[in-house]
């Protein structure tokens, strides 16, 4: 069949060439849509803003969304969006598009040829493709730490700057579940954005603002910085989808397409133009100035970009011919500039847009606490990332060795509004945790090397493989720390190095599991420091063994009997060293185990730093409480005390 099919193909190609050649029938039906409209003063300008909203994980993992696998869960393939976008934008120089999530864009960019990359660079520099928001993800604003928001935004922006020489101008937080003042002033105004757009605010607030034309405001998020950190904030009247009136044009959408070929049945140009104008007038009714924005897209749309652009070309062409309103391809930047140029005074907004309710009794607040384990893990890794980057800087980034890049990427994804929030499926939550764990492993190597280098005194030269090898104990939460669980012999010490990533001095009590009950702790100057042994109860030992087995798949080799606890003091961005060895503690500075029930000294214990004091008797029962301010105190009679 091969040769025969080839021959047919050649014939078809030849036929096509004839039809499309000069003087052929092609031109007769070709309508050049006029999409060149810009802003027209004195008319209602409808800014048609084509966009897609691509979650970097939700019902599927970020990679499943990118490649389009597991479509039985959700029909979504971001690769299709970006692949189909390029030819669609090339087809008409007036078409525009914004792209937001850099985690997806970077996956795609890595796979493109130099030719496509050059083409895309051209589209970006001419403003036909614009990066908006520009972080790796569209981060949550309630359950994230602001440092993580900054880091994930920085990662995305740095890539855009390096590849395209551009800095995103507009914040685009269209899907997160409520909005924080920190976003407005720190990640909006201070990042340098000119405006911030979103839609999820309390439904009653929206209704009110709809009625008073206060959906577009100047948001003053910071009391400290005041007007210097103001930002223009636009809240969409309905959502981030096309306006009411059936303007969805994905391949499988049911909205009526614009049928403008008189040779075919169902010609509907007037009808669709009327729909468009009606939607525009309704939105203009709740918007200040004669500029409104139509957000043309929604979640994972433009998988075949041409199917949207084809309709928008026609709408713009026929709506402008109709002349009641002026429709133009636009971006949030163009829209913002148009708003600024009107000199309209905007209402002022202070504080947060939290909590978010989209209906009566429908408060999106459960996510503040859902998936607490993932939330804790993200926060722990975030602190570790901060310390690891400092240590990476101290020894200098090496090209060959380990870096913090992988942890940085994993943390960036974890800030997504369906990641640390806990609103994703279980398998997706697992995916985020897996990425964090892989990132941690790489950063852990770097931290060990760096601390080894820093602790080896006198080595000024580049250090990449120190002789000192430090081991870290990330599973101290389940009392698992193999290096401290060795049987220390006479004359050998366990060296504990404590690093402080904060900009101020830190004093804290450290707890390290040990095997022996005769333990003594010294600081780096050889001074013995106060320490205390806390017995590990049998019950928690069993629990620990179960946890270790579940976590590592094997039973732990040793079973520590005690925690040794001692106060550590560490300078800002510095480290302190402690030595744990076998020995007898000096009576003067070591406290006896208070948990020893046979304790000979039966003493009372008072707790409470402020005005309220609680007094416990030798048996550990609360015996008295007193309030120094009200001068009130009350004796508590324990059960054994006879009342007379
Ligand atoms: C296309 O439309 C613009 C304004 O919308 C107009 O200025 C221009 O003359 C039109 N071009 C053609 C070829 O009709
Ligand atoms: C699809 O998702 C399910 C979880 O719902 C997962 O178990 C399965 O491995 C996924 N399939 C692929 C091909 O990733
Ligand atoms: C605009 O608002 C007014 C007052 O609420 C209302 O009477 C009118 O019908 C609205 N027009 C459109 C096009 O929605
Ligand atoms: C706001 O007003 C627009 C235009 O009148 C309307 O379509 C929309 O439903 C209103 N939204 C709310 C939440 O009231
Ligand atoms: C201990 O920490 C690890 C890693 O942070 C975590 O995966 C594990 O769930 C924690 N275990 C317990 C019992 O909290
Ligand atoms: C430590 O000593 C105990 C008792 O002397 C012994 O049972 C255990 O196997 C030793 N552990 C190691 C890791 O050597
Ligand atoms: C703790 O466990 C050990 C060994 O399993 C046992 O011999 C001992 O009696 C237990 N102690 C208590 C207080 O249960």
């Amino acid at each position: 069949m091969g040769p025969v099919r080839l021959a047919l193909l050649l014939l078809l190609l030849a036929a096509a060439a004839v039809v499309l050649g000069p003087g052929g029938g092609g031109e007769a039906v070709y309508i050049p849509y006029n999409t060149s409209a810009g802003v027209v003063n004195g008319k209602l300008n409808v800014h048609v803003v084509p966009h897609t909203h691509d979650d970097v994980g939700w019902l599927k993992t970020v990679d499943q969304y990118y490649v389009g696998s597991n479509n039985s869960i959700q029909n979504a393939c971001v690769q299709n969006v970006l692949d189909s976008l390029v030819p669609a934008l090339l087809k008409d120089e007036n078409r525009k598009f914004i792209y937001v999530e850099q985690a997806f864009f970077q996956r795609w960019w890595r796979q493109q040829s130099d030719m496509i990359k050059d083409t895309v660079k051209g589209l970006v520099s001419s403003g036909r493709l614009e990066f908006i928001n520009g972080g790796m993800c569209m981060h949550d604003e309630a359950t994230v730490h602001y440092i993580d928001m900054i880091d994930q935004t920085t990662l995305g922006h740095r890539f855009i700057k390096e590849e395209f020489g551009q800095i995103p101008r507009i914040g685009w937080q269209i899907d997160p579940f409520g909005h924080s003042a920190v976003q407005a002033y720190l990640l909006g105004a201070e990042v340098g954005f000119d405006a911030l757009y979103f839609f999820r605010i309390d439904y009653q607030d929206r209704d009110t603002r709809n009625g008073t034309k206060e959906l577009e405001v100047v948001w003053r998020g910071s009391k400290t910085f005041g007007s210097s950190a103001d930002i223009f904030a636009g809240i969409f009247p309905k959502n981030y989808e096309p306006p009411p009136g059936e303007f969805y044009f994905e391949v499988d959408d049911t909205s009526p397409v614009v049928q403008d070929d008189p040779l075919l049945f169902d010609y509907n140009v007037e009808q669709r133009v009327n729909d468009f104008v009606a939607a525009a007038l309704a939105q203009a009714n709740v918007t200040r100035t004669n500029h409104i924005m139509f957000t043309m897209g929604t979640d994972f749309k433009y998988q075949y970009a041409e199917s949207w652009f084809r309709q928008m070309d026609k709408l713009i062409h026929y709506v402008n011919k109709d002349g009641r309103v002026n429709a133009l391809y636009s971006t949030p930047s163009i829209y913002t500039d148009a708003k600024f140029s009107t000199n309209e005074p905007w209402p002022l907004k202070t504080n947060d847009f939290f909590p978010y309710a989209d209906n009566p009794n429908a408060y999106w607040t459960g996510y503040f606490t859902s998936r607490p384990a993932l939330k804790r893990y993200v926060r722990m890794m975030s602190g570790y990332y901060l310390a690891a980057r400092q240590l990476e800087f101290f020894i200098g980034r090496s090209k060959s060795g380990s870096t913090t890049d992988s942890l940085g990427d994993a943390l960036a994804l974890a800030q997504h509004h369906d990641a640390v929030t806990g609103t994703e499926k279980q398998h997706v939550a697992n995916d985020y945790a897996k990425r964090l764990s892989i990132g941690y492993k790489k950063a852990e190597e770097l931290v060990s090397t760096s601390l080894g280098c820093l602790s080896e005194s006198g080595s000024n030269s580049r250090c990449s493989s120190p002789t000192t090898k430090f081991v870290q104990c990330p599973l101290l939460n389940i009392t698992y720390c193999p290096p401290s669980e060795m049987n220390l012999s006479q004359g050998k010490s366990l060296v504990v190095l404590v690093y402080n990533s904060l900009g101020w001095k830190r004093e804290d009590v450290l707890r390290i599991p040990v095997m022996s009950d005769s333990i003594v702790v010294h600081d780096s100057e050889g001074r013995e420091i106060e320490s205390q042994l806390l017995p590990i109860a049998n019950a928690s030992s069993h629990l620990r063994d179960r946890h270790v087995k579940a976590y590592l798949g094997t039973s732990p080799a040793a079973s520590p009997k005690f925690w040794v606890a001692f106060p550590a003091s560490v300078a800002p961005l510095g480290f302190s060293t402690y030595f744990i060895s076998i020995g007898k503690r000096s009576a003067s500075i070591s406290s006896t185990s208070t948990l020893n029930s046979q304790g000979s000294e039966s003493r009372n214990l008072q707790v409470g730093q402020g005005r309220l004091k609680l007094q416990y008797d030798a048996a550990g029962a609360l015996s008295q409480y007193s309030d120094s301010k009200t001068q009130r105190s009350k004796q508590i009679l324990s059960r054994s005390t006879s009342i007379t």
Side-chain angles (χ1 to χ4, degrees), residues 175-359:
D175 199 21
F177 321 132
H179 299 279
S180 72
V182 163
Q183 178 68 36
Y185 86 85
L186 186 61
L187 285 119
E190 298 286 327
V191 159
F193 286 157
D194 295 329
L196 174 61
Y197 293 93
F198 50 93
F199 110 82
R200 292 193 192 273
I201 66 167
D202 181 85
Y203 70 104
Q204 295 166 100
D205 194 7
R206 184 194 316 282
D207 285 352
T208 308
R209 290 173 182 281
N210 221 17
T212 56
K213 293 195 179 183
E214 292 188 51
L215 284 166
E216 290 177 324
V217 297
V218 165
W219 192 357
R220 181 166 300 168
S222 168
K223 285 186 179 140
T224 311
F225 297 116
S227 62
S228 73
D230 282 354
I231 189 164
F232 178 78
I235 305 153
F236 302 139
K238 199 165 170 69
N239 53 33
Y240 54 84
E241 305 193 5
E246 306 235 47
F247 297 101
Y248 289 78
F249 300 118
E250 197 70 9
V251 171
D252 55 357
D253 277 333
T254 54
S255 298
V257 297
V258 183
Q259 206 300 78
D260 60 341
D261 185 342
L263 298 180
L264 306 181
F265 287 145
D266 303 329
Y267 184 90
N268 66 358
V269 170
E270 283 85 24
Q271 181 55 45
R272 294 271 56 199
V273 166
N274 287 342
D275 295 341
F276 190 97
V277 171
L281 295 180
Q283 191 167 330
N285 227 8
V286 299
T287 314
R288 295 182 190 212
T289 78
N290 60 353
H291 295 279
I292 61 169
M293 191 197 297
F294 276 8
T295 44
M296 298 299 290
T298 175
D299 297 10
F300 298 101
K301 298 302 180 190
Y302 291 75
Q303 294 189 51
Y304 174 49
E306 185 62 23
S307 77
W308 284 82
F309 280 109
R310 185 191 293 136
Q311 301 307 320
M312 290 185 292
D313 283 356
K314 295 184 189 184
L315 285 169
I316 290 173
H317 176 82
Y318 290 111
V319 164
N320 290 345
K321 249 175 114 175
D322 170 272
R324 279 174 286 172
V325 302
N326 176 55
L328 64 147
Y329 273 124
S330 185
T331 68
S333 306
I334 296 171
Y335 179 78
T336 303
D337 290 343
K339 288 278 171 181
F340 278 25
S341 70
T342 60
N343 291 320
E344 175 82 20
W346 302 101
L348 188 71
K349 156 75 187 172
T350 54
N351 298 324
D352 292 323
F353 285 102
F354 276 123
Y356 167 56
D358 61 349
N359 271 298

Side-chain angles (χ1 to χ4, degrees), residues 387-621:
R389 272 191 303 169
Q390 292 167 359
L391 292 165
E392 184 175 32
F393 172 77
F394 288 152
I395 59 161
R397 268 172 79 89
S398 71
K399 288 217 162 55
S400 52
S402 327
T403 68
T404 54
D405 294 354
S406 163
L407 183 56
D409 271 339
L411 272 168
L413 285 183
Q415 312 310 318
H416 170 54
H417 60 272
D418 289 308
V420 65
T421 50
T423 52
E424 69 279 32
K425 294 287 180 194
Q426 184 60 53
H427 78 113
V428 181
N430 294 346
D431 182 74
Y432 293 123
K434 181 164 88 180
R435 289 170 193 278
L436 287 171
S437 167
I438 293 169
Y440 171 79
K441 277 280 167 222
K442 302 235 169 91
E444 188 184 34
E445 288 163 23
L446 170 107
V447 166
S448 299
T449 308
S450 184
L451 288 177
C453 288
L454 291 175
S455 67
E456 282 170 10
S457 54
S459 63
N460 271 339
S461 56
R462 270 270 190 275
C463 169
S464 54
S465 48
T467 44
T468 319
K469 293 261 179 278
F470 281 101
V471 183
Q472 292 154 74
C473 291
L475 293 180
L476 265 183
N477 62 337
I478 52 170
T479 327
Y480 183 65
C481 180
S484 79
E485 292 163 9
M486 301 175 307
N487 290 331
L488 291 169
S489 53
Q490 281 302 339
K492 269 201 146 180
S493 312
L494 173 72
V495 182
V496 177
L497 191 145
V498 192
Y499 179 75
N500 177 13
S501 61
L502 299 178
W504 52 90
K505 182 179 167 190
R506 224 178 136 181
E507 282 171 356
D508 231 322
V509 173
L510 297 186
R511 295 205 313 171
I512 294 170
V514 290
M515 305 297 287
S516 163
D517 62 356
S518 54
I519 290 285
V520 53
V521 183
H522 291 94
D523 66 13
S524 56
E525 265 128 55
R527 283 187 303 246
E528 183 181 343
I529 58 168
E530 186 180 357
S531 64
Q532 198 175 71
L533 280 178
L534 309 168
I536 295 173
N538 266 11
S540 55
S541 278
H542 292 318
L543 192 62
R544 164 201 190 258
D545 292 356
R546 274 225 319 272
H547 278 146
V548 172
K549 186 129 198 273
Y551 199 84
L552 301 173
T554 53
S555 294
S559 206
K561 299 281 181 293
F562 302 95
W563 288 102
V564 59
F566 59 95
S569 162
V570 198
L573 299 186
F575 61 88
S576 298
T577 318
Y578 297 92
F579 300 87
I580 296 178
S581 46
I582 296 279
K584 214 167 158 40
R585 281 168 294 162
S586 329
S588 60
I589 59 163
S590 59
S591 24
T592 47
S593 165
T594 51
L595 298 184
N596 182 353
S597 57
Q598 256 98 64
S600 47
E601 34 170 356
S602 57
R603 53 200 172 102
N604 287 334
L605 180 71
Q606 198 181 52
V607 297
Q609 295 183 319
R611 56 186 242 204
L612 189 68
K613 300 265 186 270
L614 302 176
Q615 181 119 3
Y616 291 85
D617 65 18

Side-chain angles (χ1 to χ4, degrees), residues 123-156:
L123 291 172
V124 171
S125 67
S126 61
R128 290 149 78 180
L129 174 62
E130 184 176 337
F131 296 110
I132 297 284
N133 229 29
M136 298 296 278
C137 66
M138 188 183 290
H139 55 226
D140 176 52
E141 298 181 29
T143 65
V144 290
H145 194 283
Y146 75 92
I147 288 183
D148 294 329
M149 296 157 96
I150 293 174
D151 284 348
Q152 84 86 12
T153 305
T154 307
L155 266 190

